[in-house]
Structures are given as C-alpha cells and as structure tokens.
Amino acid sequence: MDNQDNLLNNDLQIDDISMQHLKETSGWAKFLGIVGFIFSGFIAIAAFAAGATLSTIRSPFSGSYGRGLGASIIVIYLLMAGLTFMISLFVYRFGSNGKAAIASGDQTSLNESLRNLKFVFRTQGIITCIYLGILVLVFVFGGLAALMR
C-alpha cells in the first residue's frame, strides 16, 4: 500500500514522448468526434425515415398496426442518435482540450481533456453493462421458452 501512495504523491510529468502521443491522439479524437456528429445526424434522419415507412404497414386481419411500430422505432433510433452524439461530444472535447493543453501548456485544459476521456469510457462501460444484462435476459427467457415447449 505504501508503494501506491508514493506513486500517487510523485509529481508526474508529461515528457516529449507522452506529449507526442497526446498530440496525435487529440487529432484523431477530434476527427472521430466530428465523424460521430455526422453519424448521429444520419441516425436521426434514419429514425424518421424508418418510422414513416413502418407506420404504413397494414395487417390483413386488424388494419393498421404500423403506427405503434413506427413510433417505437423513431424513439429507439433517436435514443441511439443521442447516445452517439453524447459520446462523440466527449471524444471531440477530449481532442480539442488536449490540443489546447499541448499548445499552451495549460494544466487546466489537460485536466479537462482527461475528464472528457473518463466520460467516454464511463458511458461506454454503462452501455456495455446494459447490453450484457439484456443478453443475459434473452438467454434466460429463451432457455425457459425452449424448456416449456
């Protein structure tokens, strides 16, 4: 435990190699953030296109049931677009603050850059946990359905 305390109390410094890595990573992060913004816009457009298309589906037995399906697809796609936009925003902020920190040597910009990187990984971790939970539920209910047959 004492060794960990000493590591945390040392004054870590960013050397030239770390600076180069941060500079290159910041450039790629800005690029990926911008591409993510564009993709989130495409997802939002696809939400309304898919919703409009699915709302025209008609059942031969009971008439139109596509309106509920179309509305639910719009909501799901808009949630996906929002999550994509949020993650892209954090990635873009990481890149732009990282570049600003390198250019000016500002510790506050570096801290803000790393804070946004933390948000990227936290958000992706939460999404992964939700996804894994849904997979477990699918397997459990799928197994129960197979046993009941």
Side-chain angles (χ1 to χ4, degrees):
M1 191 70 134
D2 191 33
N3 192 19
Q4 269 187 329
D5 290 337
N6 287 340
L7 282 176
L8 295 176
N9 289 331
N10 287 337
D11 290 329
L12 293 177
Q13 295 180 5
I14 298 177
D15 60 5
D16 291 337
I17 295 170
S18 298
M19 191 76 74
Q20 281 302 107
H21 291 314
L22 183 60
K23 183 177 181 180
E24 185 175 347
T25 304
S26 296
W28 282 108
K30 283 182 73 172
F31 170 74
L32 290 174
I34 292 169
V35 170
F37 293 148
I38 293 168
F39 280 157
S40 64
F42 285 152
I43 293 170
I45 292 169
F48 294 107
T53 302
L54 289 174
S55 66
T56 62
I57 294 176
R58 300 209 179 275
S59 168
F61 304 110
S62 63
S64 176
Y65 64 87
R67 287 188 186 152
L69 181 64
S72 61
I73 290 296
I74 288 173
V75 169
I76 290 169
Y77 273 46
L78 287 178
L79 285 173
M80 288 172 33
L83 283 171
T84 303
F85 182 83
M86 186 175 71
I87 291 172
S88 299
L89 181 63
F90 293 144
V91 169
Y92 182 80
R93 286 179 180 170
F94 164 71
S96 62
N97 286 329
K99 279 197 176 257
I102 291 169
S104 66
D106 183 25
Q107 184 66 42
T108 305
S109 294
L110 180 63
N111 292 343
E112 188 64 26
S113 176
L114 294 175
R115 181 174 155 265
N116 281 288
L117 184 62
K118 176 186 76 169
F119 289 152
V120 169
F121 286 115
R122 179 188 294 169
T123 305
Q124 288 180 336
I126 290 169
I127 291 169
T128 301
C129 289
I130 292 169
Y131 176 72
L132 291 174
I134 291 170
L135 277 179
V136 167
L137 290 175
V138 165
F139 283 125
V140 167
F141 288 119
L144 289 175
L147 289 175
M148 296 174 96
R149 198 159 192 211

